[in-house]
Amino acid sequence: MHMLADRPLAADRCRSADRQLADALALLREASDVLAGLDPVELSEGCLGESVAELMLVRRQVDGAAAVIADRVTHSREWAGDGSSGAAAWLRDTLNEGFGAVRSLMETGAQARAFPQVGDALRAGEIGVRHVAVVADRSEKHTSELQSRQYLVCRLLLEKKKSYAVFCLK
């Protein structure tokens, strides 16, 4: 269990979701500062690949959390107080990101809401944002089948294998 200011970070029914989010963000900022200060040349060989895999897992989890929170913003009126024309404009200004990046973030959040098991897999770091987009693209044909995590993983692996085979043939 991680500690922040001598408090456990694990989900606690007595603490509000807002407090849990604030604590998690503080830990992420602290960890990001440590990562930014690392010199990769000084890292020992032997577990570098595992470290990259772990970082990517955390990245997918953070991407998932950002997407579902951005989706929550779109269904709130938080953005209206600043005189923004809509949630996308408010997020663009708040995040200092381009419209395309904000739109993608909002779409991923909406897709995670539309496909709850896919959203859970994204937030768990089992799949990435691009995987969520593939599911959304395929949803019109196979909506009920794609709700199964096992089916999702199999389809994504098969598509990746097919794409790789086509690439090798070119």
Side-chain angles (χ1 to χ4, degrees):
M1 181 182 319
H2 298 286
M3 299 294 286
L4 180 66
D6 299 322
R7 289 188 316 226
L9 181 62
D12 181 351
R13 294 179 196 266
C14 297
R15 291 188 315 137
S16 73
D18 294 331
R19 184 73 250 158
Q20 290 177 45
L21 178 59
D23 288 350
L25 289 171
L27 275 174
L28 283 170
R29 282 189 297 274
E30 183 179 332
S32 295
D33 289 345
V34 170
L35 291 170
L38 286 177
D39 181 355
V41 175
E42 294 179 7
L43 297 173
S44 302
E45 293 183 16
C47 62
L48 296 173
E50 291 174 17
S51 297
V52 172
E54 185 71 20
L55 285 167
M56 295 308 293
L57 172 84
V58 171
R59 178 182 176 177
R60 289 189 303 267
Q61 290 175 308
V62 171
D63 286 347
V68 298
I69 293 171
D71 184 58
R72 174 74 175 92
V73 169
T74 64
H75 297 285
S76 74
R77 298 294 296 168
E78 182 172 348
W79 52 268
D82 289 345
S84 293
S85 59
W90 184 82
L91 281 169
R92 187 180 62 236
D93 293 342
T94 302
L95 303 177
N96 195 27
E97 292 281 350
F99 182 74
V102 168
R103 190 81 188 138
S104 177
L105 182 66
M106 292 170 65
E107 287 174 359
T108 300
Q111 293 160 349
R113 181 174 30 83
F115 299 97
Q117 290 183 335
V118 173
D120 291 347
L122 174 64
R123 290 173 39 179
E126 296 169 0
I127 62 173
V129 169
R130 290 182 183 162
H131 298 121
V132 176
V134 168
V135 171
D137 288 343
R138 307 258 191 246
S139 68
E140 291 179 16
K141 287 175 49 179
H142 307 290
T143 301
S144 62
E145 292 174 322
L146 290 177
Q147 285 297 305
S148 160
R149 266 194 200 175
Q150 288 179 321
Y151 181 81
L152 169 68
V153 170
C154 289
R155 286 290 296 204
L156 292 172
L157 289 173
L158 287 173
E159 293 219 7
K160 186 174 184 178
K161 185 176 180 181
K162 187 186 334 177
S163 297
Y164 181 74
V166 170
F167 175 77
C168 289
L169 292 174
K170 289 185 178 182

